[in-house]
């Protein structure tokens, strides 16, 4: 069966590096695929992150702006008959500056002969892009975790303000503080800790969709809580985010080894085949969607032919960064002090 090439894809279902005739490489197609695959693999970035930003990114270190609405509504009290109401509320949009100074690059090659010998339906290029996306998602999730944890540590110079991991050196003051709730002692300590974490969001008038991300090390504790509602008891097959196991006090619970202590295992590493310690010392994160900015403003991809081989190589670089934009809408839970 003949294979035809249209808009960067073979009609027989496989996406190839080139069309095999004119040698056309469409970087926009593969850059978009890398971006989609990365976003699909994110955990913290998907649950708490927003990718909306304004400004133009031209080079590493550029500053973009994250739009964030400020609550300006005030209760005017009772207006008597024939009275007047003054002080009109207005929607106020606040822009939080964010520097994009992180990123990574990769370089791989695909042999067209190897691709032809591969079983039908298996595309080497797509798999290589997917593997790269997993690494990128890990790096961005680690930045989100770092931003949250640093935001819960008060700076020495500014009392009541957390550290801004997005600043140079990560020592500048954030515009708020991510609250911390330490687990107490006793049989119901973990449940009480979750209730206290949710109460802090209530006090902050948080209205966004909430998620509780727990480390794998405390999954057993959560499952034993009588207040925990197991998702498997709901029946049906609702579409849920990866790692969703149920709910506590109405808050969805997601298990992820993005948080909590790393557990060394024979020949295995945590989270997408690789581990990080960005959230070390924190075993639960309760937050709302959009409380962290996780942006990928630039993806460059190009092809070239190595001089000493018959392969076609692809080089790419991607820029990303993360910043807490609503610290009042995130609470971290830490284990009891030994």
């Amino acid at each position: 069966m003949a294979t035809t090439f249209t808009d960067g894809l073979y009609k027989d279902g496989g996406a190839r590096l080139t069309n095999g005739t004119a040698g056309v490489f469409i970087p926009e197609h593969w850059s978009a695929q890398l971006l989609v695959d990365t976003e699909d693999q994110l955990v913290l970035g998907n649950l708490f992150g927003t990718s909306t930003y304004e400004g133009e990114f031209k080079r590493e270190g550029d500053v973009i702006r994250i739009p964030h609405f400020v609550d300006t509504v005030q209760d005017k009290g009772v207006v008597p008959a024939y009275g007047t109401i003054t002080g009109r509320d207005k929607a106020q949009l606040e822009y939080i500056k964010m520097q994009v100074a992180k990123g990574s690059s990769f370089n791989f090659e695909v042999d067209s002969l190897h691709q032809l010998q591969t079983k039908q339906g298996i595309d080497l290029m797509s798999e290589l892009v997917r593997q790269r996306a997993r690494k990128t998602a890990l790096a961005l999730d680690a930045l989100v975790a770092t931003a949250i944890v640093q935001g819960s540590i008060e700076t020495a110079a500014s009392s009541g303000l957390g550290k801004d991991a997005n600043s140079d050196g990560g020592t500048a003051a954030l515009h708020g503080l991510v609250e911390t709730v330490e687990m107490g002692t006793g049989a119901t300590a973990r449940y009480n800790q979750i209730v206290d974490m949710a109460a802090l969001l209530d006090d902050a008038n948080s209205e966004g969709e909430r998620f509780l991300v727990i480390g794998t090390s405390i999954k057993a504790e959560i499952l034993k809580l009588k207040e925990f509602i197991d998702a498997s008891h709901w029946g049906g097959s609702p579409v849920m985010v990866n790692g969703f196991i149920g709910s506590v006090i109405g808050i969805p619970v997601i298990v992820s080894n993005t948080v909590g202590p790393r557990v060394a295992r024979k020949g295995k590493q945590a989270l997408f085949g690789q581990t990080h310690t960005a959230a070390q010392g924190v075993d639960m994160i309760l937050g709302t969607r959009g409380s962290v900015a996780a942006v990928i403003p630039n993806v460059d991809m190009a092809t070239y032919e190595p001089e000493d081989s018959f392969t076609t190589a692809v080089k790419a670089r991607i820029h990303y960064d993360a910043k807490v934009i609503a610290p009042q809408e995130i609470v971290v839970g830490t284990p009891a002090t030994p």
Side-chain angles (χ1 to χ4, degrees):
M1 181 180 67
T3 301
T4 55
F5 181 84
T6 305
D7 296 332
L9 293 174
Y10 274 100
K11 285 187 176 180
D12 61 0
R16 301 292 196 269
L17 182 59
T18 66
N19 65 6
T21 303
V24 177
F25 173 74
I26 304 178
E28 293 82 6
H29 165 72
W30 292 111
S31 297
Q33 188 63 51
L34 174 63
L35 191 58
V36 170
D37 287 347
T38 299
E39 291 175 344
D40 287 345
Q41 302 272 2
L42 290 171
V43 180
L44 296 182
N46 269 335
L47 295 175
F48 305 133
T50 174
S51 57
T52 303
Y53 69 91
E54 295 183 8
E56 188 175 0
F57 179 86
K58 294 182 178 180
R59 59 186 178 275
E60 182 180 331
D62 275 355
V63 175
I64 58 177
R65 300 185 305 167
I66 310 298
H68 179 61
F69 281 99
V70 181
D71 186 1
T72 60
V73 177
Q74 296 181 0
D75 188 348
K76 311 302 180 181
V78 176
V79 178
Y82 305 105
T84 59
I85 181 171
T86 59
R88 299 177 183 86
D89 298 324
K90 298 179 181 178
Q92 183 176 338
L93 184 62
E94 181 182 68
Y95 287 96
I96 299 175
K97 292 183 178 180
M98 174 179 174
Q99 184 183 41
V100 181
K102 313 292 192 311
S104 60
S105 59
F106 63 92
N107 186 20
F108 59 79
E109 58 184 352
V110 177
D111 190 323
S112 59
L113 184 60
H114 184 198
Q115 177 69 80
L116 290 173
Q117 292 173 339
T118 306
K119 291 183 178 180
Q120 185 177 6
I122 299 177
D123 182 11
L124 298 180
M125 178 66 177
S126 294
E127 177 60 21
L128 287 168
V129 170
R130 187 189 66 82
Q131 290 178 10
R132 179 58 241 183
R134 292 174 68 184
K135 302 296 183 181
T136 303
L138 168 69
L140 185 51
D141 259 349
L143 286 178
V144 173
T146 298
I148 292 174
V149 173
Q150 289 294 305
S152 68
I153 302 173
E154 289 192 46
T155 59
S158 304
S159 178
L161 297 178
K163 294 181 179 180
D164 184 5
N166 184 246
S167 65
D168 292 335
T171 57
L174 195 64
H175 52 282
L177 178 68
V178 174
E179 296 285 356
T180 301
V181 175
E182 182 178 337
M183 187 175 74
T185 58
T188 60
R190 185 64 74 179
Y191 174 73
N192 291 337
Q193 183 184 23
I194 296 173
V195 171
D196 290 342
M197 292 170 67
L200 287 175
L201 293 188
D202 292 338
D203 292 342
N205 293 322
S206 173
E207 298 178 351
E209 186 178 6
R210 298 179 183 183
F211 297 97
L212 177 66
V213 179
I214 66 173
T216 55
S217 60
I218 66 165
K219 178 182 177 181
E221 296 180 37
I222 300 296
L223 293 176
K224 292 176 183 177
L225 294 178
K226 66 179 186 300
E227 297 84 4
F228 174 76
I229 301 177
D230 192 339
S232 64
H233 296 162
W234 293 359
S237 56
V239 178
M240 295 291 183
V241 295
N242 290 337
F244 176 80
I245 60 170
S247 65
V248 174
I249 58 174
I251 301 174
V253 179
I254 293 91
V255 177
S256 171
N257 45 15
T258 307
V259 299
R262 306 280 71 83
V263 179
R265 298 179 180 176
K266 294 181 180 180
K268 296 183 179 180
Q269 294 177 318
L271 191 62
F272 306 144
Q274 189 173 333
T275 186
H276 68 77
T277 57
Q280 191 171 14
V282 170
D283 55 14
M284 295 193 301
I285 299 177
L286 175 61
T288 62
R289 193 179 297 279
S291 53
V292 180
V295 301
I296 307 176
N298 180 63
V299 179
D300 289 331
M301 191 175 288
T303 182
Y304 66 97
E305 295 184 358
E307 185 176 349
D308 58 350
S309 72
F310 294 97
T311 62
T312 301
V314 177
K315 57 184 178 181
R317 60 182 175 180
I318 181 169
H319 292 88
Y320 45 75
D321 222 321
K323 181 185 179 74
V324 174
I325 58 174
Q328 73 280 5
E329 296 197 7
I330 310 175
V331 183
V332 297
T334 60
T337 303

